[in-house]
Amino acid sequence: MDTGPKIAQVAALIGDPARANMLSALMDGRTLTASELAYLSGVAPQTASGHLAKLSDAGLLALAKRGRRRYFRLASPHVARVLEGLMVVAQEGPARRDLWRGGETLRHARTCYDHMAGRIAVAIADRLVQQSFILLDEDGGQLTDAGRSFFDEFGVDLRLASKRRVFCRPCLDWSERRPHLAGSLGAAILHHALEHDWVEHVRDSRALVVTPAGVRGLATTFGIEGALSMDGRERQVASLSRGRVAGFSG
């Protein structure tokens, strides 16, 4: 089966800067209006409508109508995974070179569709693997008996995980070049962090702010020290050096 034309069509849609900005704005799992996406992509509302129609027709966006308003979101986690992969590829040069220019706030902690990304998320994945709570390879992840006990104590009910999606898989982090956790398990960890006020959303951004409660929770639960955000919008504590968080080498 020749999939070349279909790949080229999707690549061309994503490759337009305005459409790429729209898709990136939805990477945190939000639903946004056409007007909001027009503003975030820097184009006129009429131009944005044309872009959104093309993305919807191609199955990259899903549309929901609430009264007179139209809300758009990424069509599925698969779309988010493609975008995250492209972000990784877009980072130029060898992996050993640190070319991140997205700012410390976004690098420290952010959303990647319905799960957490950035330094903190990579540190969580490291900890779970090092403690043999998760067996992780390129294809996916599996909880051990010790891991199930850990998450029971953590307060995450994994029985509620959707059976229609992957339970756990590594997602290559585009700022750290190392994996964080995606799938139902990654989503459950982010949900727990938000529900217990460990992290807060930064308005109009994928960035997450680690709260004082989050500092305590991350240290107690995962052994991650130095996670406090100094400024929710512009700066993060930079004590977590690349490849090393809370004494765990990457």
Side-chain angles (χ1 to χ4, degrees), residues 28-41:
D28 60 359
R30 292 181 296 172
T31 58
L32 295 175
T33 65
S35 297
E36 290 169 328
L37 289 168
Y39 172 76
L40 292 170
S41 60

Side-chain angles (χ1 to χ4, degrees), residues 198 212-223:
W198 286 14
V215 172
R216 295 189 294 271
L218 289 167
T220 301
T221 307
F222 298 103

Side-chain angles (χ1 to χ4, degrees), residues 45-198:
Q46 186 175 357
T47 303
S49 295
H51 287 315
L52 292 169
K54 292 179 180 179
L55 292 170
S56 298
D57 290 344
L60 298 177
L61 293 183
L63 170 64
K65 294 183 179 180
R66 300 173 190 169
R68 300 176 62 181
R69 287 181 174 269
R70 298 189 306 159
Y71 291 85
F72 295 86
R73 61 174 174 81
L74 295 185
S76 72
H78 298 297
V79 177
R81 189 174 182 178
V82 168
L83 295 173
E84 187 77 8
L86 287 173
M87 291 173 182
V88 173
V89 174
Q91 295 295 311
E92 300 176 351
R96 70 175 66 91
R97 293 180 59 197
D98 188 355
L99 297 174
W100 173 257
R101 295 184 177 87
E104 283 300 311
T105 302
L106 203 62
R107 184 172 193 169
H108 193 65
R110 63 183 182 275
T111 51
C112 176
Y113 196 61
D114 62 355
H115 57 274
M116 194 185 305
R119 285 195 187 108
I120 297 300
V122 170
I124 290 173
D126 283 350
R127 180 63 169 172
L128 293 173
V129 170
Q130 290 164 3
Q131 293 295 105
S132 297
F133 293 153
I134 292 179
L135 303 177
L136 197 65
D137 58 29
E138 293 182 358
D139 296 322
Q142 181 178 353
L143 274 183
T144 63
D145 290 339
R148 292 188 182 280
S149 298
F150 169 80
F151 279 103
D152 283 342
E153 294 179 10
F154 185 34
V156 174
D157 188 354
L158 299 177
R159 293 172 299 178
L160 300 178
S162 172
K163 298 184 182 303
R164 292 183 294 178
R165 61 178 299 189
V166 174
F167 173 71
C168 177
R169 66 170 179 82
C171 183
L172 184 60
D173 196 283
W174 64 290
S175 64
E176 302 309 294
R177 304 289 188 91
R178 299 178 56 239
H180 56 250
L181 297 179
S184 294
L185 181 59
I189 293 172
L190 175 59
H191 177 76
H192 182 94
L194 289 168
E195 190 175 52
H196 290 78
D197 297 321
W198 286 14

